[in-house]
Amino acid sequence: RAWSHRNRKFCPYCMIEAGYWRASWCLMLATCCPRHSIWLQERCCSCGTTLGIEAIGCFRCDVCGKSLVDADSA
């Protein structure tokens, strides 16, 4: 299985720069951003909740509403 449909991972720096979700972040073996050399995050930096599918569409935590594209999350 190549795709992880449970864990929504992201690079906060890519989100700030580009403002869109990369499909490659959902690959099971993707653990690090090749551009920024940091670990991909799968939890909200504010409340620690694992991100759900709704986070992809709105770039916000499903639970607390914290933006994933804030400079604070990077």
Side-chain angles (χ1 to χ4, degrees), residues 16-27:
I16 291 167
E17 292 173 7
Y20 66 90
W21 206 280
R22 289 181 170 77
S24 62
W25 294 336
C26 293
L27 291 170

Side-chain angles (χ1 to χ4, degrees), residues 36-48:
H36 297 104
S37 299
I38 64 167
W39 293 105
L40 294 176
Q41 297 182 16
E42 29 182 83
R43 296 185 176 274
C44 173
C45 67
S46 180
C47 70

